[in-house]
């Protein structure tokens, strides 16, 4: 009973926290918390796979595949009462299917939107190292969506625009402070490589559907943005390398033509690595720079990215540092380019070009 009560409380808290962004998900979570049968179904999953966001994504996936038609109909109609009822029925009747999904997948929420931070930072990095062409290598790889950064249109709250404003994928962000972003265009991108322990291949229908399943069904604008970015990534699929960042970096860098500068990006990915893993990642970057210049652009929590200045900010302070480290035979240069909040929805730039 104790574990069931704790699980019910977890789903109630999720509804309180996420209900504003997704009322539909909030209604489903409350319904699950009140159903002993649904909670028993959730308890058949491994303990670490019982999180509300994961189980709700699995239910959404079943709806998208057509295996839960009543739930799919409720989601499409935006009917909270019908969705709550259908979700509990689906969870209790198809517990094995839900468990199979949550044990075989990783939650992939908030994959879009990082171009707002990455574009100006990569452009600044390319300018700093004098690159006429770059190869993009993304760690954690966000399903390859970070690798389309040069093909997205960006509009900022201060009136600045960057990227391809004719692109089907458009993103926006607010600017904090009065310093403008660098008015620099990205050089030609000649390679796109993603590194992930469990890469998502957007050319695979099941993988692409799972990305949609991780977005709440009533977050229409986010789903539209995701669809646009997935279409971009599909039109020029990246090379995906499976493994730990440090071990795969040499392979990834070798795929960048000799005339181009490898630019490695990491967005909220290094926090998933232990401290030793982050040090090995840094070592791999420094070793690669023995043969050619390398740049690393990061958007990570305060103190997460090795060598990037923290500006005196405290860890877990609610924002992230936009960082740049360049490596060449002369050594390493690290700097903080700015701060950002909400995965790139707000940013403050303070680096001089």
């Amino acid at each position: 009973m104790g574990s069931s009560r704790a699980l019910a409380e977890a789903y109630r808290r999720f509804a309180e926290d996420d209900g504003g962004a997704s009322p539909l998900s909030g209604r489903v979570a409350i319904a699950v918390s009140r159903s002993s049968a649904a909670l028993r179904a959730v308890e058949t999953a491994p303990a670490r796979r019982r999180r509300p966001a994961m189980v709700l994504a699995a239910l959404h996936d079943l709806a998208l595949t057509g295996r839960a038609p009543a739930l799919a109909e409720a989601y499409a109609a935006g009917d909270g009462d019908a969705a709550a009822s259908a979700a509990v029925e689906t969870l209790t009747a198809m517990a094995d299917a839900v468990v199979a999904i949550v044990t075989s997948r990783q939650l992939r929420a908030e994959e879009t939107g990082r171009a707002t931070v990455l574009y100006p930072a990569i452009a600044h990095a390319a300018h700093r190292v004098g690159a006429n062409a770059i190869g993009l290598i993304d760690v954690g790889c966000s399903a390859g969506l970070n690798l389309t950064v040069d093909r997205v249109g960006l509009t900022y709250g201060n009136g600045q625009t960057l990227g391809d404003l004719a692109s089907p994928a458009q993103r926006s962000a607010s600017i904090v402070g009065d310093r403008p972003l660098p008015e620099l265009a990205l050089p030609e991108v000649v390679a796109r490589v993603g590194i992930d322990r469990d890469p998502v291949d957007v050319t695979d229908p099941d993988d692409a559907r799972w990305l949609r399943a991780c977005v709440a069904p009533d977050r229409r604008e986010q789903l539209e943005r995701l669809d646009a970015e997935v279409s971009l990534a599909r039109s020029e699929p990246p090379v995906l390398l499976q493994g730990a960042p440090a071990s795969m970096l040499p392979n990834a860098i070798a795929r960048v033509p000799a005339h181009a500068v490898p630019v490695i990006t990491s967005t909220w990915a290094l926090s998933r690595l232990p401290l030793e893993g982050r040090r090995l990642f840094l070592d791999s970057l420094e070793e690669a720079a023995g043969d050619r210049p390398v740049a690393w652009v990061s958007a990570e929590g305060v103190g997460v990215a090795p060598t990037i200045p923290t500006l005196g900010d405290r860890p877990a302070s609610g924002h992230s540092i936009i960082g740049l480290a360049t490596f060449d035979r002369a050594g390493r240069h690290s700097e903080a380019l700015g701060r950002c909040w909400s995965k790139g929805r707000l940013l403050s730039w303070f680096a001089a070009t």
Side-chain angles (χ1 to χ4, degrees):
M1 285 291 291
S3 63
S4 294
R5 283 197 295 268
L7 193 60
E9 179 60 25
Y11 277 75
R12 282 193 292 270
R13 286 199 305 271
F14 176 86
E16 293 173 0
D17 295 341
D18 203 59
S22 171
L24 208 57
S25 293
R27 294 290 294 277
V28 169
I30 286 294
V32 171
S33 76
R34 292 173 177 172
S35 168
S36 57
L39 292 172
R40 285 195 299 271
V42 173
E43 287 177 329
T44 63
R48 294 184 178 181
R49 299 289 179 162
R50 298 173 187 171
R51 291 180 298 154
M54 192 73 199
V55 171
L56 266 61
L59 289 170
H60 193 189
D61 193 52
L62 290 173
L64 291 172
T65 61
R67 298 172 65 188
L71 185 58
E73 183 177 348
Y75 282 163
D79 187 330
D81 290 337
S85 176
V88 168
E89 291 177 6
T90 300
L91 187 51
T92 54
M94 304 181 69
D96 289 347
V98 171
V99 171
I101 294 170
V102 300
T103 54
S104 63
R105 290 288 191 179
Q106 300 294 329
L107 193 64
R108 299 283 182 169
E110 300 291 345
E111 298 288 13
T112 63
R114 300 172 186 191
T116 55
V117 169
L118 285 177
Y119 190 104
I122 294 172
H124 180 91
H127 178 77
R128 176 63 58 86
V129 299
N132 295 315
I134 59 174
L136 295 176
I137 300 170
D138 192 47
V139 173
C141 79
S142 298
L145 302 185
N146 280 352
L147 297 167
T148 65
V149 59
D150 57 315
R151 304 172 63 201
V152 176
L154 304 168
T155 302
Y156 296 91
N158 63 355
Q160 286 186 275
T161 58
L162 296 171
D164 181 4
L165 296 182
S167 170
Q170 298 289 320
R171 299 310 312 264
S172 61
S174 298
I175 297 293
V176 177
D178 56 7
R179 182 180 287 275
L181 299 168
E183 296 281 0
L184 298 169
L186 290 185
E188 180 186 10
V189 177
V190 297
R192 303 174 197 271
V193 184
I195 300 173
D196 200 323
R197 291 183 181 274
D198 183 23
V200 173
D201 181 358
V202 294
T203 66
D204 181 302
D206 290 340
D207 279 4
R209 187 190 66 247
W210 176 245
L211 289 179
R212 294 191 102 252
C214 291
V215 179
D218 55 344
R219 300 191 68 173
R220 307 296 185 190
E221 290 185 5
Q222 187 177 348
L223 285 167
E224 290 174 1
R225 291 194 298 266
L226 176 63
D227 288 345
E229 292 191 26
V230 166
S231 294
L232 277 186
R234 278 177 171 167
S235 67
E236 192 175 339
V239 174
L240 298 177
L241 303 179
Q242 184 171 12
S247 62
M248 299 310 298
L249 267 175
N251 186 345
I253 290 172
R255 294 171 183 268
V256 178
H259 71 282
V261 174
V263 178
I264 292 85
T265 57
S266 69
T267 55
W268 302 284
L270 297 190
S271 60
R272 298 196 291 268
L273 298 178
L275 180 59
E276 182 60 27
R278 295 177 220 166
R279 289 172 176 163
L280 289 172
F281 172 75
L282 184 66
D283 290 344
S284 294
L285 288 172
E286 291 183 326
E287 288 173 12
D291 298 321
R292 63 197 301 186
V294 173
W296 168 37
V297 168
S298 60
E300 303 282 358
V302 177
V304 171
T307 81
I308 300 299
T310 60
L311 309 171
D313 299 346
R314 293 183 177 182
S317 55
H319 66 270
S320 300
I321 302 292
I322 307 167
L324 169 63
T326 56
F327 307 79
D328 56 28
R329 292 178 181 176
R332 179 186 68 229
H333 174 78
S334 300
E335 62 182 306
L337 303 179
R339 297 181 177 93
C340 67
W341 296 259
S342 301
K343 298 293 179 70
R345 295 183 183 89
L346 298 92
L347 65 117
S348 173
W349 189 272
F350 43 75
T353 302

